[in-house]
Amino acid sequence: MTANDHSETSPVRGAGWIDAGGLLGDKIRLVFTDRRGGVSSPPYDSLNLAYHTGDEPRNVFDNRMRVAAKMCVAAERFIYLQQVHGVRVARTTLGDLKGSENGLDAVIAETDGVFTTEKGVVLSVLTADCVPIALALPSAGVVAMLHAGWRGTIGNIVASALDGIKRETGLDPGEIKAVMGPAIGPCCYEVDEGRARLFVEKYGEESNVVTGEGRRRPDLFRANLINLLEAGVRHGNISRVGGCTCCEGRYFSFRRDGVTGRQGAFVYRVDEECENGSG
Ligand SMILES: [Zn+2]
């Protein structure tokens, strides 16, 4: 049992970032950036999108502007999260875009997931090994973006998001589509016995979420796949793109590099076609 794997051969992967909106539905844009194409110096080279890493704020600002320009979206349309490895998922609207600190992107405090039913709001998470998970229900105009590290996975931020979407919109999770982006794979993610035990307690031995020598290698993709299926998302609607952030040098990886930058995952409902064609 695996997610529909587009990570190796997919037409969605170009020479640069991964553009995978087609996996979620018409008029939905889903972009996973990597570390290339920015202005930051080592160890943040070069497209670091996170201010909290220790990078020069001016460079992070420039990098975020580059992403906005390449995505052909105004920088004021971006919602970022102050991610805390929790399971809180907030609903957001165009109204949240007003009054942001730098007059550009807005930040929602202490939240690891966000959803909206409005066009023109770009939902973001930043990662360097954790799993970015995009959700969409195109017929109802819902999009969501989640950040699932080991805590968010075991705590089940996927269920938290689908509960929130269902409660606030009355929608059926069965129609939801999900895409997991680049994150650390079990090839590189070895943990201590205590953490491994938490995964086994949550998913059971037979799930094979934890494998490897001494069963110390949790598979975050598999765990979140189980979370999605248990929440009612259909298997055929779940995809995965991008590879292992730790194996592949084009990504930032906290496990591999320690002090490093963060790549971005962005989802939004397309408001209008990009006029300059650079998207
Ligand atoms: Zn790996």
Side-chain angles (χ1 to χ4, degrees):
M1 180 186 60
T2 54
N4 302 297
D5 193 346
H6 300 263
S7 61
E8 297 303 327
T9 58
S10 172
V12 298
R13 175 188 286 183
W17 306 341
I18 299 169
D19 193 338
L23 295 171
L24 291 177
D26 286 345
K27 296 277 181 186
I28 293 178
R29 188 100 195 269
L30 171 62
V31 173
F32 298 102
T33 66
D34 57 35
R35 67 188 301 165
R36 299 171 297 184
V39 299
S40 295
S41 304
Y44 309 106
D45 50 315
S46 59
L47 193 71
N48 168 42
L49 299 176
Y51 285 108
H52 72 274
T53 52
D55 192 2
E56 285 290 332
R58 179 74 226 177
N59 290 342
V60 177
F61 180 88
D62 284 354
N63 288 336
R64 288 188 177 191
M65 293 300 280
R66 284 179 175 225
V67 169
K70 186 165 171 181
M71 286 172 60
C72 201
V73 181
E76 309 84 68
R77 296 296 189 96
F78 285 69
I79 297 266
Y80 285 90
L81 306 180
Q82 183 200 13
Q83 299 165 195
V84 290
H85 294 280
V87 297
R88 189 171 99 85
V89 178
R91 183 177 191 168
T92 191
T93 66
L94 285 165
D96 290 330
L97 295 171
K98 299 192 180 88
S100 59
E101 278 180 30
N102 57 6
L104 290 173
D105 43 67
V107 178
I108 302 178
E110 297 188 358
T111 301
D112 287 86
V114 63
F115 73 94
T116 190
T117 56
E118 295 187 8
K119 285 183 181 172
V121 186
V122 183
L123 309 180
S124 320
V125 302
L126 303 179
T127 66
D129 288 339
C130 294
V131 189
I133 305 174
L135 306 174
L137 189 52
S139 61
V142 177
V143 289
M145 182 59 79
L146 315 176
H147 161 248
W150 73 268
R151 290 189 189 87
T153 299
I154 290 177
N156 204 343
I157 192 168
V158 161
S160 173
L162 290 166
D163 284 351
I165 291 170
K166 196 171 178 180
R167 189 173 57 244
E168 296 214 18
T169 66
L171 298 169
D172 175 7
E175 300 307 314
I176 292 261
K177 294 186 174 181
V179 177
M180 292 183 272
I184 194 167
C187 40
C188 298
Y189 187 42
E190 186 164 358
V191 300
D192 63 28
E193 212 169 298
R195 194 181 303 177
R197 201 179 311 120
L198 295 176
F199 278 92
V200 172
E201 283 168 7
K202 165 88 177 160
Y203 296 101
E205 292 274 359
E206 69 288 347
S207 70
N208 280 323
V209 163
V210 187
T211 57
E213 186 93 8
R215 289 197 167 256
R216 297 274 187 88
R217 291 179 180 271
D219 184 337
L220 295 173
F221 297 111
R222 191 174 186 83
N224 282 291
L225 174 64
I226 293 169
N227 290 350
L228 286 161
L229 293 170
E230 287 184 346
V233 181
R234 290 207 300 264
H235 189 267
N237 285 348
I238 303 169
S239 302
R240 184 186 152 193
V241 300
C244 169
T245 46
C246 190
C247 285
E248 300 184 31
R250 71 175 182 278
Y251 296 115
F252 294 112
S253 170
F254 181 77
R255 173 62 66 117
R256 186 188 62 224
D257 298 330
V259 177
T260 191
R262 300 291 183 275
Q263 49 246 344
F266 304 94
V267 69
Y268 65 100
R269 293 174 61 200
V270 177
D271 201 1
E272 52 208 31
E273 295 304 325
C274 183
E275 284 179 11
N276 65 20
S278 69

